């Protein structure tokens, strides 16, 4: 018959193996398994059971399960909505965990059919960073007008260089975009340097992509009376 005393040796072996694993996710799983086996021993073998040890074991299991869930959220897009997953596709340099932090301070904006909004003005500071989620916006730079389609940032030059906006960007009818307050985003990057570096790398990549693509003035969205007044 199986000697319950072997439970101690099995649990200790699993824990020891876990300490050799550098991956935190696997380490937490090994600790949980080891703690469960220890608890079986403390409950089944002594007479009466070692209830203090059992309760301590349950606390260790609960804490490690909580941390395990946090690790899973850091690595997966679990519980993100379809729109949030689409947005994440545009944040290639960020991990899912970093993206969740960005998402918490994001504002989703939908333009009505008869609505237009100036996102940035050329030569003026930009208080926000924008990502065009759906639709096409109108961009005016040095008196040239052109279209900027979805899956592009605007205000990224001002954010990265801490300078004025380099173009006037207008979101019109049917455009959906995501907005981040620049001050809040910078503070978030300061608290989490790896996130800040990943975000700067993403915006630099976005700018490089724009420089390599050809946006022609005759692709511009024809100005409306409302747009002219906004400018």
């Amino acid at each position: 018959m199986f000697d319950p005393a072997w439970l101690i040796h099995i649990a200790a072996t699993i824990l020891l193996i876990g300490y050799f694993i550098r991956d935190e996710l696997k380490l937490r799983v090994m600790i949980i398994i080891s703690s469960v086996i220890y608890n079986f021993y403390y409950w089944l073998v002594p007479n009466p059971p070692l209830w203090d040890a059992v309760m301590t074991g349950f606390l260790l299991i609960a804490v490690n399960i909580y941390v395990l869930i946090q690790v899973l959220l850091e690595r997966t897009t679990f519980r993100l909505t379809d729109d949030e997953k689409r947005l994440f596709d545009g944040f290639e340099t960020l991990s899912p965990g970093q993206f969740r932090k960005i998402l918490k301070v994001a504002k989703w904006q939908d333009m009505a059919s008869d609505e237009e909004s100036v996102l940035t003005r050329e030569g003026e500071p930009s208080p926000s960073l924008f990502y065009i989620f759906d639709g096409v916006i109108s961009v005016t730079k040095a008196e040239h007008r052109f279209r900027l389609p979805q899956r592009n940032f605007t205000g990224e030059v001002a954010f990265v260089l801490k300078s004025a906006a380099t173009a006037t960007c207008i979101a019109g009818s049917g455009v959906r975009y995501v907005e981040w307050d620049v001050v809040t985003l910078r503070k978030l990057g300061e608290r989490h340097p790896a996130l800040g570096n990943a975000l700067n790398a993403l915006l630099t990549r976005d700018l490089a992509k724009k420089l390599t693509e050809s946006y022609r003035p005759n692709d511009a969205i024809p100005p409306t009376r409302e747009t002219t007044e906004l400018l």
Side-chain angles (χ1 to χ4, degrees):
M1 295 180 64
F2 177 75
D3 184 356
W6 276 95
L7 290 173
I8 286 289
H9 302 301
I10 294 171
T13 301
I14 293 174
L15 189 61
L16 184 62
I17 294 172
Y19 285 142
F20 278 101
I21 298 174
R22 299 181 63 180
D23 186 291
E24 186 177 6
L25 179 63
K26 295 177 181 178
L27 170 60
R28 296 291 175 176
V29 170
M30 299 291 274
I31 291 175
I32 292 170
I33 294 173
S34 174
S35 298
V36 169
I37 296 174
Y38 271 123
N39 261 18
F40 271 115
Y41 176 84
Y42 297 143
W43 178 48
L44 294 174
V45 176
N47 188 19
L50 301 178
W51 294 116
D52 288 343
V54 170
M55 292 304 299
T56 302
F58 275 124
L59 288 175
L60 285 172
I61 292 169
V63 168
N64 279 282
I65 288 176
Y66 173 80
V67 176
L68 181 64
I69 292 172
Q70 301 306 308
V71 172
L72 286 172
L73 291 177
E74 285 284 329
R75 297 186 182 185
T76 68
T77 57
F78 177 67
R79 295 190 66 181
L80 292 181
T81 67
D82 290 340
D83 281 349
E84 289 168 348
K85 288 178 181 178
R86 277 186 59 201
L87 181 62
F88 177 63
D89 289 340
F91 284 71
E92 302 164 347
T93 62
L94 273 66
S95 69
Q98 293 172 331
F99 175 72
R100 289 177 194 275
K101 292 182 176 65
I102 292 287
L103 196 59
K104 287 180 180 179
V105 295
K107 296 179 181 178
W108 294 75
Q109 306 286 0
D110 294 274
M111 303 301 296
S113 58
D114 58 346
E115 195 176 14
E116 287 185 334
S117 177
V118 177
L119 305 182
T120 62
R121 291 183 185 274
E122 186 175 3
E124 296 183 12
S126 177
S128 299
L129 174 70
F130 305 90
Y131 182 84
I132 311 306
F133 188 77
D134 276 321
V136 178
I137 67 170
S138 175
V139 179
T140 302
K141 182 174 183 179
E143 299 183 355
H144 295 289
R145 298 175 61 83
F146 53 89
R147 296 173 184 265
L148 185 65
Q150 62 191 34
R151 296 182 61 82
N152 276 288
F153 286 93
T154 185
E156 78 283 3
V157 176
F159 179 84
V160 173
L161 300 181
K162 299 181 180 180
S163 62
T166 58
T168 298
C169 300
I170 299 176
S173 173
V175 172
R176 190 180 191 198
Y177 62 89
V178 189
E179 178 180 357
W180 291 269
D181 177 75
V182 165
V183 174
T184 302
L185 207 53
R186 286 204 178 108
K187 287 182 179 178
L188 188 63
E190 290 171 359
R191 289 199 303 270
H192 306 279
L195 186 155
N197 292 336
L199 183 59
N200 282 334
L202 175 69
L203 297 178
T204 302
R205 181 183 298 184
D206 181 81
L207 179 58
K209 181 184 72 173
K210 289 174 182 173
L211 292 175
T212 58
E213 292 179 354
S214 177
Y215 294 113
R216 300 180 298 277
N218 59 0
D219 285 337
I221 300 173
T224 62
R225 181 170 58 83
E226 292 79 5
T227 302
T228 304
E229 291 174 355
L230 287 169
L231 290 171

